[in-house]
Amino acid sequence: QVPLVESGGGSVQAGGSLRVSCEFSDYRYMGNCMGWLRQVPGKEREGVAAIRTGGYTTFYADSVKGRFTISPDNAKNAVHLQMDSLRPDDSGMYYCATWGSSGGDCMDHSNGIHAWGQGTLVTVSS
């Protein structure tokens, strides 16, 4: 059973909105952080948004602050990423993940990723 399953994403014009969701099914993999990393061709995956699984503190990359919102959905064992005012440079493959952060900063992935989702493509056209 895949511990993280993503849904949502798609294509939209610049200025539009999309939502991606990530449902988790196996708490054995759960770290103290959960969120999304984005990958574009030729670049490493970079953190976009994250949430602390205990306490729900949120974290965002500077490029998405004020436009993206990550939120928990306890009824569905899921987290959602609402993406508004999308720009072409937001395009990429969005991977849901869970990891542990010893320092409490969930934008720090240096301890390694516990589990990945399958990825969902977001395309923003100009």
Side-chain angles (χ1 to χ4, degrees):
Q1 188 176 14
V2 179
L4 300 174
V5 178
E6 300 186 56
S7 60
S11 299
V12 69
Q13 288 191 324
S17 297
L18 288 172
R19 190 173 88 156
V20 292
S21 299
C22 180
E23 294 190 31
F24 49 91
S25 60
D26 192 339
Y27 280 90
R28 293 177 297 171
Y29 294 90
M30 187 60 64
N32 63 345
C33 299
M34 188 169 175
W36 276 267
L37 291 84
R38 177 175 64 208
Q39 188 166 29
V40 298
K43 292 188 177 181
E44 293 187 356
R45 292 181 190 181
E46 60 176 0
V48 174
I51 189 167
R52 197 174 289 156
T53 54
Y56 303 131
T57 302
T58 57
F59 303 81
Y60 299 96
D62 288 343
S63 62
V64 307
K65 283 180 182 175
R67 300 187 298 118
F68 288 15
T69 303
I70 188 170
S71 60
D73 184 343
N74 293 329
K76 296 183 178 180
N77 288 336
V79 293
H80 306 293
L81 182 66
Q82 178 67 37
M83 303 181 288
D84 298 320
S85 301
L86 281 161
R87 309 184 309 213
D89 61 358
D90 294 319
S91 299
M93 200 72 172
Y94 282 68
Y95 292 93
C96 178
T98 182
W99 61 95
S101 174
S102 54
D105 178 5
C106 285
M107 297 305 284
D108 177 9
H109 311 101
S110 60
N111 287 339
I113 302 295
H114 295 184
W116 291 99
Q118 79 276 19
T120 186
L121 185 62
V122 170
T123 303
V124 184
S125 58
S126 58

